[in-house]
């Protein structure tokens, strides 16, 4: 009865739960691992990604839910459910996902390992000679790193680290018949390779490190009886919200460092454990962490599928994965090797990554670092590559006496420590470094190079949707603009003054910014389309984003749909809007594109009665984007650049190889071309010049 009531409540809601929508997104990623048409190693990659995704989901989203439950705060989900009913619904759905995830691994992928040149085996499946190698590895490398941590009346419960494989070993002293069982925890250090590798003539054998430890566990427990030894893994709450403070003397960097330390002690929100664990062990763990069966996930085989990355990155298999398609020249910069300082004086350049390389941006920054005419560089940084050329260029610029100011966002989730470290390097080199703005997360991506050219100063601007990360730029689809147009230069200069100083610009000319006005300006653009529709004028909205969650904006989209506006949404991940509901969203369609590249570009199109307004930038339609982040969307004023962006939307709408169509109930189905349709795969098509040429196309 309660189940039916919960289901009815979810169906009645005008909005879809953000968290349930996210789990459906991870199902679309899992679908890539199930796709037999894909390269086998790519299928393994997608399965590993689902595991990483789920870890973050539990740390952040489930962690956030427990912040309400643990502290007695009320929370009403978009589905209409309160905290505890929603917790049950969410964890039930997560259990179903994990079952399907491991069904894919065990039934669809693992049986194919051997024919692809490798296998994952247990100790008993090794030859005697191979077991000797494993034994030597244990003695020399593993054993010295293991530290048994006993828990009994004399020893407190040890701090078990987040997401590390752990054995819970129940022991009994054989001499004392009255002695009670005791539990000892043995964590496998994270700096050990997940697999011990053995080369055979016909294949590579990967032996899970936990199986070697299990095999030799008695070495840690001499003269005691081992009653049971069970492998488990915990996930802790990693969600923390920085408190807003008006104390201008507060050391914000130290606050971040303190928050990072709390992640190690966050409450446990998930316990993964192998089959048939000790009841005694489970009773202790559940009581200690205040969890129940809903938080416990039984794993039937390899625990933590992120381990598959070691196989994927093995030198033996590097050539077995599809090679990345070579990048092509941007439409707006058809010549290779141009002098960008000269070219940008007369041309704007739109880059569409990864189809266009990020090299023009990095090269421009590296040239600026050495160019004696460059006076200064200003940049926002959210995520960087390992051994970043961007950081190297900024360091070189500072060494060469240029003014360099950088805003490092130290609240970039899971990159906080790296950004603190890189910011410290730049500070020591003489750069002016700001570690974020305490109230807000700076998510916008901007670069400005100030160059003296004769009697005047030219400002070279780069603004886009992607991070300054050379590695992810080869995998993520993003857009960015290079320009010297004074409209952009003026607004970006003002924007830097706001985030690095104490300035409030009267009005931006081509930027929509948050947290001040982005939501209201986007809503006004939506309302303008609704007014046009009511007047019988042409109208339409096409938006491509990562996530759609802001309630106020969704309500305006519903109103525009009722007014007769055709609305086409391309939302990769979370979508809380219900498309196609009668008398609410009849004119709204939603699709998600998930495939070879991670869709990351944000493009907003408003028909405007035949004079389209098109914006690109860093912001999704989310509460956090509008209220808790510093974001920017830029208007495309160059007609050719605008048409390029429209073409990108057009082919994304046509895609029938990577697209999933959202139903009214929040579920998705894979789009397939009909007998009369051409195959359209945007992840391949955009490497072709023809589809990228500016041309007149109809979006709505």
């Amino acid at each position: 009865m309660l189940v039916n009531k919960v289901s009815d409540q979810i169906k009645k809601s005008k909005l879809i739960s953000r968290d349930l929508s996210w789990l459906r997104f991870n199902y679309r990623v899992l679908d890539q691992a199930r796709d037999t048409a894909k390269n086998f190693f790519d299928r393994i990659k997608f399965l590993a990604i689902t595991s990483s995704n789920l870890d973050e989901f539990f740390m952040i989203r489930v962690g956030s839910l427990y912040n309400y439950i643990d502290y007695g705060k009320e929370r009403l989900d978009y589905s209409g459910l309160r905290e505890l009913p929603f917790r049950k619904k969410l964890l039930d759905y997560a259990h179903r996902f994990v079952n399907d995830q491991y069904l894919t691994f065990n039934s669809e992928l693992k049986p194919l390992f051997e024919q692809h040149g490798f296998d994952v085996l247990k100790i008993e499946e090794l030859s005697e000679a191979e077991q000797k190698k494993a034994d030597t590895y244990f003695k020399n490398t593993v054993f010295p790193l293991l530290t048994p941590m006993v828990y009994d009346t004399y020893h407190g419960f040890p701090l078990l680290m987040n997401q590390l494989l752990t054995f819970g070993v129940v022991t009994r002293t054989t001499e004392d018949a009255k002695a009670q069982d005791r539990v000892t925890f043995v964590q496998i250090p994270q700096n050990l390779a997940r697999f011990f590798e053995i080369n055979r003539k016909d294949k590579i054998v990967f032996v899970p490190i936990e199986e070697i430890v299990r095999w030799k566990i008695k070495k840690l427990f001499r003269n005691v009886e081992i009653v049971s030894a069970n492998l488990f893994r915990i996930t802790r709450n990693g969600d923390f919200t920085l408190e807003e403070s008006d104390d201008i003397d507060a050391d914000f960097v130290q606050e971040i460092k303190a928050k990072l330390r709390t992640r190690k002690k966050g409450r446990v929100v998930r316990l993964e454990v192998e089959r048939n664990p000790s009841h005694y062990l489970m009773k202790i763990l559940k009581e200690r962490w205040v969890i129940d069966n809903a938080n416990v996930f039984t794993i039937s085989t390899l625990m933590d599928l992120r381990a598959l990355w070691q196989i994927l990155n093995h030198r033996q298999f590097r050539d077995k994965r599809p090679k990345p398609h070579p990048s092509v020249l941007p439409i707006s910069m058809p010549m290779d090797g141009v002098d960008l300082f000269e070219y940008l004086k007369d041309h704007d350049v739109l880059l569409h990554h990864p189809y266009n390389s990020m090299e023009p941006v990095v090269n421009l920054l590296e040239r600026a670092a050495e160019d004696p005419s460059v006076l200064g560089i200003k940049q926002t940084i959210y995520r960087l590559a390992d051994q970043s050329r961007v950081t190297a260029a900024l360091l070189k610029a500072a060494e060469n006496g240029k003014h360099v100011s950088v805003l490092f966002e130290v609240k970039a989730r899971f990159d906080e420590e790296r950004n603190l470290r890189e910011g410290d390097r730049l500070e020591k080199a003489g750069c002016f470094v700001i570690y974020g703005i305490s109230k807000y997360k700076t998510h916008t991506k901007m670069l400005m190079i100030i160059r003296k050219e004769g009697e005047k100063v030219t400002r070279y601007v780069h603004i886009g949707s992607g991070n300054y990360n050379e590695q992810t730029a080869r995998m993520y689809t993003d857009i960015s603009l290079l320009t010297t147009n004074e409209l952009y230069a003026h607004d970006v200069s003002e924007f830097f003054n706001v985030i690095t100083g104490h300035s409030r610009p009267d009005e931006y000319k081509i930027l929509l910014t948050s947290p001040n006005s982005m939501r209201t300006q986007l809503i006004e653009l939506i309302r303008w389309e609704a007014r046009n529709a009511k007047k019988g004028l042409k109208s339409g909205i096409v938006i491509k984003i990562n996530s759609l969650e802001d309630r106020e904006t969704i309500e305006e989209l519903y109103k525009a749909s009722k007014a007769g506006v055709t609305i086409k949404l391309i939302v990769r991940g979370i979508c809380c809007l219900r498309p196609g509901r009668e008398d609410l969203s009849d004119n709204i369609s939603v699709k998600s594109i998930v495939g070879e590249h991670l869709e990351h570009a944000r493009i907003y199109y408003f028909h405007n009665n035949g004079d389209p307004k098109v914006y690109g930038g860093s912001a999704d339609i989310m509460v956090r984007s509008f209220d808790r982040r510093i974001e920017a969307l830029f208007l495309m004023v160059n007609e050719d650049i605008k048409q390029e962006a429209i073409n990108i939307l057009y082919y994304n709408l046509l895609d029938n190889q990577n697209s999933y169509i959202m139903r009214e109930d929040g579920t998705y189905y894979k789009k397939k071309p009909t007998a009369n349709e051409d195959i359209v795969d945007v992840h391949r098509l955009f490497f072709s010049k023809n589809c990228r040429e500016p041309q007149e196309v109809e979006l709505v």
Side-chain angles (χ1 to χ4, degrees):
M1 193 72 179
L2 181 61
V3 173
N4 291 337
K5 188 177 179 181
V6 167
S7 297
D8 288 344
Q9 179 64 56
I10 291 173
K11 288 176 183 176
K12 287 177 185 176
S13 175
K14 291 198 301 182
L15 300 170
I16 288 172
S17 162
R18 168 181 175 170
D19 296 329
L20 294 177
S21 179
W22 185 93
L23 282 170
R24 288 184 175 123
F25 159 69
N26 213 26
Y27 259 115
R28 299 195 289 281
V29 180
L30 181 61
D31 197 45
Q32 311 306 304
R34 293 166 162 171
D35 186 354
T36 56
K38 286 190 181 298
N39 172 277
F40 176 73
F41 288 92
D42 269 358
R43 294 174 66 190
I44 293 176
K45 175 191 74 174
F46 280 110
L47 188 64
I49 290 171
T50 67
S51 187
S52 300
N53 286 350
L54 201 61
D55 281 354
E56 183 172 344
F57 177 76
F58 271 92
M59 284 183 67
I60 306 305
R61 296 306 308 160
V62 179
S64 175
L65 176 60
Y66 269 97
N67 287 341
Y68 288 88
I69 294 171
D70 289 343
Y71 295 99
K73 294 182 180 180
E74 290 190 350
R75 176 185 187 268
L76 186 65
D77 185 74
Y78 276 16
S79 63
L81 298 179
R82 287 290 179 192
E83 313 83 49
L84 293 177
F86 182 70
R87 167 192 173 273
K88 183 179 186 313
K89 179 69 177 178
L90 184 65
L91 293 178
D92 283 350
Y93 199 80
H95 274 276
R96 185 177 3 144
F97 177 82
V98 171
N99 289 338
D100 289 340
Q101 187 186 36
Y102 275 91
L103 185 64
T104 302
F105 176 73
N106 291 322
S107 301
E108 299 183 39
L109 296 178
K110 196 171 186 301
L112 302 176
F113 283 0
E114 195 163 3
Q115 71 186 64
H116 286 88
F118 70 94
D119 211 342
V120 175
L121 301 180
K122 294 185 177 181
I123 291 294
E124 57 267 26
E125 297 173 290
L126 303 181
S127 69
E128 187 176 340
E130 290 168 341
Q131 287 184 2
K132 285 182 179 178
K133 288 181 181 179
D135 182 51
T136 301
Y137 176 65
F138 177 81
K139 288 177 182 175
N140 295 341
T141 305
V142 180
F143 181 72
L145 293 174
L146 298 179
T147 304
M149 297 174 286
V150 68
Y151 170 57
D152 58 18
T153 52
Y154 302 103
H155 301 85
F157 197 93
L159 175 62
L160 300 181
M161 303 303 289
N162 187 41
Q163 295 179 354
L164 290 189
L165 295 177
T166 305
F167 277 101
V169 184
V170 179
T171 58
R172 187 178 298 147
T173 306
T174 55
E175 291 85 359
D176 187 354
K178 296 181 180 180
Q180 290 187 328
D181 291 348
R182 289 196 283 186
V183 174
T184 301
F185 299 101
V186 181
Q187 289 208 296
I188 300 176
Q190 61 185 352
N191 57 350
L192 286 174
R194 183 58 198 281
F195 295 112
F196 176 61
E197 299 175 6
I198 298 172
N199 288 304
R200 291 182 179 174
K201 288 183 179 180
D202 58 335
K203 63 184 175 185
I204 299 170
V205 171
F206 294 92
V207 184
I209 184 68
E210 62 269 26
E211 295 307 320
I212 297 176
V213 173
R214 189 196 307 274
W215 179 43
K216 295 293 181 180
I217 199 81
K218 289 184 178 179
K219 297 286 185 184
L220 298 167
F221 298 92
R222 300 184 185 278
N223 302 314
V224 295
E225 177 190 353
I226 296 178
V227 178
S228 63
N230 299 122
L231 186 72
F232 68 89
R233 179 176 180 262
I234 60 172
T235 305
R236 293 184 178 274
N237 180 1
D239 181 62
F240 58 79
T241 302
L242 293 168
E243 297 297 323
E244 296 181 4
S245 173
D246 294 325
D247 181 2
I248 59 172
D249 296 322
D251 188 338
F252 182 54
V253 175
Q254 292 306 314
E255 183 182 355
I256 288 285
K257 289 179 177 178
K259 291 289 186 182
L260 286 173
R261 287 194 291 270
T262 67
R263 274 195 182 145
K264 297 175 182 178
K265 300 179 182 179
R267 78 105 71 220
V268 172
V269 295
R270 176 178 60 165
L271 169 62
E272 297 167 275
V273 63
E274 61 188 359
R275 283 181 177 173
N276 303 317
S278 158
H279 293 296
Y280 178 70
L281 171 68
M282 293 301 292
K283 183 175 183 292
I284 289 173
L285 297 184
K286 287 180 183 179
E287 289 177 355
R288 177 71 190 183
W289 293 323
V290 196
I291 58 175
D292 57 26
N293 287 338
N295 303 92
V296 179
F297 291 74
T298 302
I299 306 301
S300 60
T301 181
L302 184 68
M303 193 174 293
D304 185 6
L305 294 173
R306 296 178 305 169
L308 297 171
W309 283 110
Q310 184 176 337
I311 298 171
L312 288 165
N313 293 328
H314 194 282
R315 61 184 180 277
Q316 189 79 12
F317 307 121
R318 285 175 190 162
D319 294 336
K320 294 193 176 184
R321 292 175 62 185
K323 288 188 169 70
H325 197 291
S327 59
V328 294
L329 289 170
I331 290 296
S332 43
M333 192 177 69
M335 300 167 291
D336 204 358
V338 299
D339 182 342
L340 271 174
F341 281 131
E342 291 301 316
Y343 189 79
L344 291 174
K345 290 176 186 176
D346 302 309
H347 305 84
D348 288 349
V349 175
L350 185 74
L351 298 171
H352 186 198
H353 312 292
Y355 316 105
N356 306 141
S357 170
M358 192 182 168
E359 279 299 303
V361 181
V362 179
N363 286 338
L364 187 69
L365 190 57
E366 289 173 337
R367 276 197 61 196
E370 301 281 5
D371 190 329
S373 298
V374 169
L375 304 176
I377 300 170
K378 298 183 178 184
Q379 188 170 13
T380 62
I381 292 176
Y382 192 70
R383 298 192 196 278
L384 287 171
D386 294 323
Q387 299 177 334
S388 169
R389 287 167 61 192
V390 170
T391 303
L394 294 172
L395 287 168
K396 178 62 71 175
E399 289 170 9
N400 289 337
K402 304 180 192 309
H403 170 80
V404 178
S405 58
V406 180
L407 191 149
F408 259 106
E409 183 46 76
V410 291
K411 298 189 291 295
R413 187 175 291 147
F414 307 125
D415 277 347
E416 300 98 336
E417 293 182 65
R418 178 189 304 186
N419 285 2
L420 283 167
R421 184 178 65 248
E422 293 294 279
D424 186 55
R425 286 179 64 203
L426 291 171
E427 249 185 330
K428 288 175 179 175
C431 302
F432 175 53
V433 177
I434 305 160
Y435 293 97
I437 296 169
S438 61
K439 286 187 177 183
Y440 308 109
K441 182 182 285 189
T442 305
H443 189 249
T444 190
K445 285 80 180 181
M446 286 187 187
L447 165 67
M448 186 168 67
I449 297 167
I450 303 101
R451 190 171 188 255
K452 185 170 175 53
E453 297 171 348
E455 296 300 313
K456 70 168 194 169
V457 170
T458 302
R459 291 173 289 187
Y460 294 81
V461 168
H462 177 257
I463 181 171
S465 64
N467 300 306
Y468 291 103
N469 185 321
E470 310 95 283
Q471 294 166 345
T472 58
R474 295 192 287 267
M475 299 177 284
Y476 291 12
T477 73
D478 275 301
I479 60 163
S480 64
L481 180 71
L482 281 164
T483 182
T484 58
N485 186 318
E486 273 299 306
L487 288 170
Y488 295 98
H490 169 272
D491 279 14
V492 171
S493 288
E494 288 291 309
F495 194 82
F496 273 112
N497 289 340
V498 169
I499 62 177
T500 63
H502 192 262
S503 172
R504 286 180 172 269
D506 294 329
E507 186 179 350
Y508 291 114
K509 296 175 182 176
I510 48 86
L511 290 184
L512 307 183
T513 65
S514 66
N516 293 327
S517 59
M518 185 180 288
R519 179 191 282 111
T520 56
Q521 288 174 298
L522 284 175
I523 284 175
E524 182 52 39
L525 288 164
I526 294 167
R527 287 174 176 170
W528 183 259
E529 294 302 313
R531 285 193 286 268
N532 281 346
K534 289 175 181 177
K535 292 176 185 176
L537 301 174
K538 286 206 71 174
S539 64
I541 297 170
V542 181
I543 299 175
K544 181 184 185 302
I545 48 178
N546 295 340
S547 302
L548 172 57
E549 171 256 359
D550 181 66
R551 189 190 298 263
E552 290 182 51
T553 312
I554 291 172
E555 288 293 340
E556 291 299 329
L557 290 169
Y558 285 156
K559 290 176 185 176
S561 171
K562 289 180 180 179
V565 180
T566 299
I567 301 169
K568 299 177 182 179
L569 304 174
I570 307 164
V571 187
R572 184 194 82 218
I574 298 162
C575 182
C576 298
L577 175 148
R578 285 191 188 274
R581 174 170 282 192
E582 189 176 353
D583 297 326
L584 179 71
S585 55
D586 308 70
N587 294 313
I588 303 178
S589 63
V590 178
K591 74 183 303 189
S592 169
I593 295 179
V594 179
E596 187 174 342
H597 301 303
L598 186 138
E599 292 291 334
H600 196 247
R602 289 90 165 182
I603 306 174
Y604 295 74
Y605 167 94
F606 302 93
H607 187 276
N608 194 33
N609 193 30
D611 182 19
K613 290 189 175 182
V614 182
Y615 291 84
S618 60
D620 290 311
I621 299 179
M622 301 190 76
V623 172
R624 71 183 187 192
S625 297
F626 295 153
D627 296 339
R628 299 195 294 273
R629 286 186 171 188
I630 295 174
E631 303 268 21
L633 297 173
F634 61 93
L635 179 67
M636 299 182 191
V637 295
N638 179 298
E639 288 299 321
D640 287 340
I641 296 294
K642 182 197 295 187
Q643 193 59 54
E644 278 190 64
I646 291 172
N647 288 348
I648 292 171
L649 291 175
Y650 176 73
Y651 285 105
N652 272 269
L653 290 171
L654 286 183
D655 178 89
N656 52 29
Q657 296 297 295
N658 311 284
S659 295
Y660 295 79
I661 308 302
M662 186 179 180
R663 299 184 181 95
E664 184 270 345
D665 65 357
T667 61
Y668 290 76
Y669 67 90
K670 183 78 180 283
K671 185 176 182 180
K672 300 288 185 183
T674 65
N676 299 322
E677 284 183 330
D678 293 331
I679 291 175
V680 181
D681 182 345
V682 288
H683 290 164
R684 298 181 184 274
L685 193 66
F686 284 124
F687 286 111
S688 162
K689 183 178 178 182
N690 293 335
C691 75
R692 294 161 47 250
E693 292 282 6
Q695 54 187 300
E696 293 296 328
V697 294
E698 285 290 329
L699 291 184
V700 292

